[in-house]
C-alpha cells in the first residue's frame, strides 16, 4: 500500500533527502504519553483514499462545446471552484478551457493559472476525464458567447436539463463564477471521485512554488514537530466580518470604512459583540495563545504562522509571542531572494502557506474559512496529522470569564478546553448533511463543504467492498 503521508516526499525537490523530511520526536518530552497526547494523529479508522473511477467509467465523449470559467475569491475559493468546474465539464460533455483566475478580489493578484498551478500536469492527469485546453481555438475567440452564473449548489439535473441546452445556440459558454457551483451531496460516485482527483492529484502547484514550499517544510521540521497556525487576523477578514474585539477605536473605524467602500461585500452594518458571541469571529492572537497553552503545548513549540500581514502587526502579536517565542513565517524561513518572485502575489504566497500547513504535525485554524476547510479536507484525504478546529462560540464564553476575573488560567480552564476539543481532531467521519429544519438555499448552505470532508465519496475501508478493491489507491 502506498505511503499515504507522502505529499512532501513525492513532490519534494531532489536536493531534500527523505531523512530530512521525517518528523522527529519532541525534544525533551518527559514521557511517550506526552508526545502522543500533543502530536500523535488520530486513527484513520481504516479509511484509505479511493478516488479512482468505478469500472463503468468511460473516457470523455464528443464535446458539446467550450466552457470558459472565471474563478472568484482567494486561492482556496478558486481551488474548489476549479475542481467543481472540472466536474461540471464532465457532466456537460464540454471542453474546459484553463480557468481565468480572479484578479479583482480584495488581494488584487495578477497571477495566471500557470503562475500558481502546474498547467501541463493538470491537463494530462485529467485526460481520461475531461478534455482541457489552454485557450480557445482562434476561430472562436470573437464568437458570441453566453455568459451565465450557474446556480449555487446545483445537482446533475440542473446541468443536464438547463445548462446543456444552451449549446444549441452557442459554441462557447462562460461561467462568471466558479465557487460552490455543485452540491456537496447526492451526486453520482464518479462525479464525486472526479472532484477529489482534480483537487488532490491534478491541481498541483507550480514547480517554483513546490520547491520553496518544501524548503519551508524542511526548515520547520528541523526545529522539531510543529504547529501550522492559520491565523486569520488580517485586515480583509476583520473588515468583512466586522470583528473588532481588542481593537482600538481608530482600528475599528478603519475596518468599517473598508467594509463600507468594498462594493461586493453586501453586509455593511455589523454588531461586533453579537458576531463574537455567536462564534463568527476569528480568535485573536492573544486568545490563540491561551488556547494552545490550555491544550498543553509547551512554550518551545515551533509555530508556523500561515497568514498574510497580521492586522496591527506586533502590537497584536506580542502576547502570543510572549507565550510562544518560536513564531516562524515564510519571511523568516526563506531569504529575500527566494521569496522575491512571490511578492505582490497574495495567492502564490498563500500557496506556500498551504504546503506548510498540509505537512504540519498539527494544523489549527483560528477561523473556519476557505483555507481552513481546504487544508483540513486535504489532510483528511492523506490521513495526515492532527487538525484541531477551535470551538469559537464556547471559547469566547471562557475567554470572557478570564477577562472578568471569574476564572483564571490553570487546570480547570485546561480541562474545559481539552474536553471541548476532544472530538474535534479531524479524524475520519461522514460529511455532515443539512441542518434539520432548514429549507431552500439555507439547506444547502448548512451542509458541510465537500472539500472540507471527502468522506464517504473518496475515503473508504478496503474490507468494506471485498468484491471490488480496484478503486483503492495502490
Amino acid at each position: 500500500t502506498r505511503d499515504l503521508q507522502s505529499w512532501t516526499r513525492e513532490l519534494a525537490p531532489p536536493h531534500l533527502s527523505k531523512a530530512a523530511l521525517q518528523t522527529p520526536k519532541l525534544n525533551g518530552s518527559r514521557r511517550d504519553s506526552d508526545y502522543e497526547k500533543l502530536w500523535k494523529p488520530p486513527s484513520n479508522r481504516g479509511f484509505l483514499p479511493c478516488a479512482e473511477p468505478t469500472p463503468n467509467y468511460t473516457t470523455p465523449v464528443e464535446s458539446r462545446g467550450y466552457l470558459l470559467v472565471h474563478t472568484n475569491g482567494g486561492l482556496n475559493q478558486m481551488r474548489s471552484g476549479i475542481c467543481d468546474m472540472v466536474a461540471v465539464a464532465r457532466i456537460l460533455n464540454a471542453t474546459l478551457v484553463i480557468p481565468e483566475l480572479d484578479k479583482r478580489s480584495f488581494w488584487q493578484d495578477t497571477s495566471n493559472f500557470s503562475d500558481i498551478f502546474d498547467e501541463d500536469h493538470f491537463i494530462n492527469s485529467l485526460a481520461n476525464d475531461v478534455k482541457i485546453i489552454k485557450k480557445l481555438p482562434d476561430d472562436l475567440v470573437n464568437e458570441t458567447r453566453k455568459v451565465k452564473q450557474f446556480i449555487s449548489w446545483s445537482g446533475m439535473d440542473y446541468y443536464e436539463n438547463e445548462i446543456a441546452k444552451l449549446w444549441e445556440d452557442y459554441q462557447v459558454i462562460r461561467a462568471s463564477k466558479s465557487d460552490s457551483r455543485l452540491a456537496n451531496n447526492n451526486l453520482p460516485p464518479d462525479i464525486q471521485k472526479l472532484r477529489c482527483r482534480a483537487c488532490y492529484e491534478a491541481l498541483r502547484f507550480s514547480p517554483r512554488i513546490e520547491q520553496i514550499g518544501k524548503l519551508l517544510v524542511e526548515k520547520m521540521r528541523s526545529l522539531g514537530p510543529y504547529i501550522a497556525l492559520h491565523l486569520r487576523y488580517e485586515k480583509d477578514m476583520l473588515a468583512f466580518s466586522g470583528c473588532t474585539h481588542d481593537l482600538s477605536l481608530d482600528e475599528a473605524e478603519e475596518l468599517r470604512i473598508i467594509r463600507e467602500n468594498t462594493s461586493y461585500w453586501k453586509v455593511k452594518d455589523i454588531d461586533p459583540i453579537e458576531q463574537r458571541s455567536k462564534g463568527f469571529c476569528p480568535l485573536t492572537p492573544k486568545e490563540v495563545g491561551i488556547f494552545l497553552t490550555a491544550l498543553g503545548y509547551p512554550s518551545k513549540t515551533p509555530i508556523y504562522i500561515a497568514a498574510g500581514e497580521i492586522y496591527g502587526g506586533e502590537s497584536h502579536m506580542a502576547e502570543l509571542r510572549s507565550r510562544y517565542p518560536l513564531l516562524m513565517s515564510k519571511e523568516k524561513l526563506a531569504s529575500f531572494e527566494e521569496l522575491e518572485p512571490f511578492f505582490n502575489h497574495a495567492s502564490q504566497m498563500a500557496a506556500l502557506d498551504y504546503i506548510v500547513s498540509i505537512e504540519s504535525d498539527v494544523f489549527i485554524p483560528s477561523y473556519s474559512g476557505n483555507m481552513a476547510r481546504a487544508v483540513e479536507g486535504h489532510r483528511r484525504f492523506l490521513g495526515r496529522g492532527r487538525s484541531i478546529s477551535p470551538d469559537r462560540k464556547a471559547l469566547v464564553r471562557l475567554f470572557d470569564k478570564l477577562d472578568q476575573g471569574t476564572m483564571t488560567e490553570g487546570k480547570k480552564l485546561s480541562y474545559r478546553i481539552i474536553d471541548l476539543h476532544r472530538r474535534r481532531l479531524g479524524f475520519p467521519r461522514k460529511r455532515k448533511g443539512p441542518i434539520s429544519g432548514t429549507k431552500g438555499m439555507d439547506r444547502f448552505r448548512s451542509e458541510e463543504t465537500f472539500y472540507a470532508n471527502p468522506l464517504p465519496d473518496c475515503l473508504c475501508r478496503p474490507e468494506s467492498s471485498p468484491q471490488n478493491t480496484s478503486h483503492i489507491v495502490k
Side-chain angles (χ1 to χ4, degrees):
T1 302
R2 189 178 73 178
D3 180 359
L4 299 178
Q5 299 181 14
S6 58
W7 166 281
T8 297
R9 287 186 288 279
E10 283 186 356
L11 303 179
H15 68 276
L16 299 188
S17 67
K18 286 189 177 182
L21 296 173
Q22 301 299 322
T23 305
K25 281 201 171 187
L26 181 63
N27 296 328
S29 178
R30 291 174 298 173
R31 303 186 303 273
D32 287 344
S33 61
D34 289 339
Y35 174 84
E36 292 182 0
K37 178 179 68 176
L38 296 174
W39 302 103
K40 185 179 179 181
S43 169
N44 68 2
R45 300 185 176 182
F47 285 98
L48 299 174
C50 53
E52 294 303 306
T54 64
N56 295 327
Y57 195 71
T58 59
T59 56
V61 299
E62 185 177 353
S63 174
R64 272 199 181 104
Y66 296 88
L67 178 62
L68 295 177
V69 174
H70 180 270
T71 60
N72 58 294
L75 173 68
N76 292 289
Q77 195 171 343
M78 291 192 291
R79 274 178 60 94
S80 62
I82 290 167
C83 298
D84 274 2
M85 287 298 137
V86 168
V88 167
R90 170 77 190 194
I91 293 169
L92 293 170
N93 297 331
T95 297
L96 178 67
V97 181
I98 285 290
E100 175 190 354
L101 301 190
D102 191 342
K103 298 177 174 62
R104 295 177 294 178
S105 66
F106 182 90
W107 300 273
Q108 299 290 302
D109 191 333
T110 59
S111 299
N112 294 316
F113 189 97
S114 59
D115 296 321
I116 299 178
F117 304 110
D118 187 331
E119 194 171 69
D120 290 332
H121 176 77
F122 180 70
I123 293 172
N124 295 332
S125 63
L126 294 170
N128 292 327
D129 304 291
V130 177
K131 183 178 180 181
I132 304 174
I133 58 176
K134 294 185 179 182
K135 60 180 183 178
L136 274 177
D138 291 341
D139 60 326
L140 292 178
V141 170
N142 297 319
E143 186 78 12
T144 301
R145 60 194 63 170
K146 175 66 175 178
V147 179
K148 178 77 172 175
Q149 182 171 315
F150 299 157
I151 295 175
S152 300
W153 297 291
S154 296
M156 289 277 287
D157 290 350
Y158 170 73
Y159 287 102
E160 291 177 331
N161 298 332
E162 293 192 38
I163 301 302
K165 64 185 180 183
L166 296 177
W167 268 288
E168 296 173 6
D169 301 311
Y170 303 92
Q171 286 184 274
V172 181
I173 295 174
R174 183 176 186 267
S176 59
K177 284 191 175 183
S178 64
D179 66 324
S180 303
R181 300 304 115 177
L182 267 180
N184 291 305
N185 301 306
N186 301 319
L187 292 172
D190 272 324
I191 294 300
Q192 298 288 60
K193 291 176 183 295
L194 174 56
R195 293 167 93 180
C196 286
R197 292 199 299 281
C199 192
Y200 305 129
E201 298 173 12
L203 208 56
R204 180 185 293 178
F205 291 122
S206 68
R208 183 176 67 179
I209 289 175
E210 289 286 349
Q211 182 177 13
I212 299 301
K214 300 313 176 280
L215 179 66
L216 298 177
V217 170
E218 181 189 34
K219 290 188 175 183
M220 284 304 300
R221 285 189 167 171
S222 71
L223 302 174
Y226 72 92
I227 294 172
L229 172 62
H230 182 46
L231 191 59
R232 197 68 170 96
Y233 206 73
E234 298 133 322
K235 183 182 290 186
D236 68 293
M237 179 66 222
L238 298 177
F240 174 79
S241 64
C243 297
T244 58
H245 182 69
D246 274 353
L247 298 182
S248 69
L249 292 177
D250 288 342
E251 288 172 329
E253 178 63 11
E254 179 188 22
L255 297 176
R256 186 196 67 78
I257 292 172
I258 292 172
R259 184 168 64 254
E260 187 67 33
N261 293 335
T262 305
S263 60
Y264 49 87
W265 290 352
K266 303 304 180 185
V267 181
K268 304 298 182 182
D269 297 322
I270 299 175
D271 183 340
I273 296 176
E274 183 182 4
Q275 282 284 95
R276 184 169 177 269
S277 68
K278 291 182 177 180
F280 295 159
C281 289
L283 299 181
T284 69
K286 174 185 175 181
E287 291 168 342
V288 169
I290 297 171
F291 178 66
L292 293 176
T293 301
L295 290 179
Y297 289 99
S299 62
K300 62 185 176 181
T301 301
I303 299 176
Y304 179 87
I305 304 297
E309 184 178 353
I310 301 300
Y311 187 59
E314 190 57 31
S315 65
H316 292 305
M317 290 293 289
E319 292 202 45
L320 175 59
R321 193 179 303 281
S322 69
R323 292 174 183 263
Y324 295 95
L326 280 179
L327 294 183
M328 311 304 290
S329 64
K330 48 191 172 292
E331 291 83 3
K332 286 187 176 182
L333 295 170
S335 67
F336 177 88
E337 291 75 18
E338 288 167 330
L339 281 184
E340 188 176 15
F342 307 103
F343 291 160
N344 301 317
H345 296 291
S347 292
Q348 295 185 48
M349 294 287 259
L352 297 175
D353 287 340
Y354 187 94
I355 291 173
V356 183
S357 297
I358 291 293
E359 276 301 297
S360 64
D361 300 277
V362 176
F363 173 68
I364 301 177
S366 66
Y367 183 77
S368 56
N370 292 312
M371 168 80 163
R373 291 191 291 266
V375 170
E376 185 171 351
H378 201 151
R379 286 166 67 86
R380 275 193 168 116
F381 183 78
L382 293 174
R384 191 77 175 101
R386 285 186 167 220
S387 297
I388 305 175
S389 179
D391 185 338
R392 296 187 305 281
K393 184 176 180 179
L395 286 173
V396 161
R397 293 195 288 268
L398 296 177
F399 295 148
D400 284 346
K401 289 181 179 180
L402 290 177
D403 291 340
Q404 296 159 6
T406 58
M407 179 180 280
T408 58
E409 288 194 62
K411 288 185 177 179
K412 183 178 180 181
L413 178 65
S414 293
Y415 288 150
R416 293 282 297 275
I417 289 179
I418 290 171
D419 189 56
L420 274 175
H421 296 84
R422 200 178 303 276
R423 297 182 181 181
R424 298 173 70 92
L425 294 177
F427 53 75
R429 57 168 177 76
K430 188 176 180 180
R431 188 170 56 257
K432 295 176 182 177
I435 295 175
S436 177
T438 54
K439 297 180 180 179
M441 194 62 73
D442 287 340
R443 178 176 175 82
F444 299 109
R445 287 180 183 275
S446 70
E447 291 183 331
E448 186 175 15
T449 306
F450 176 83
Y451 297 104
N453 186 5
L455 194 156
D457 312 282
C458 306
L459 287 167
C460 29
R461 292 187 177 102
E463 66 273 14
S464 65
S465 36
Q467 291 84 11
N468 178 23
T469 58
S470 62
H471 60 289
I472 302 299
V473 175
K474 295 291 193 296

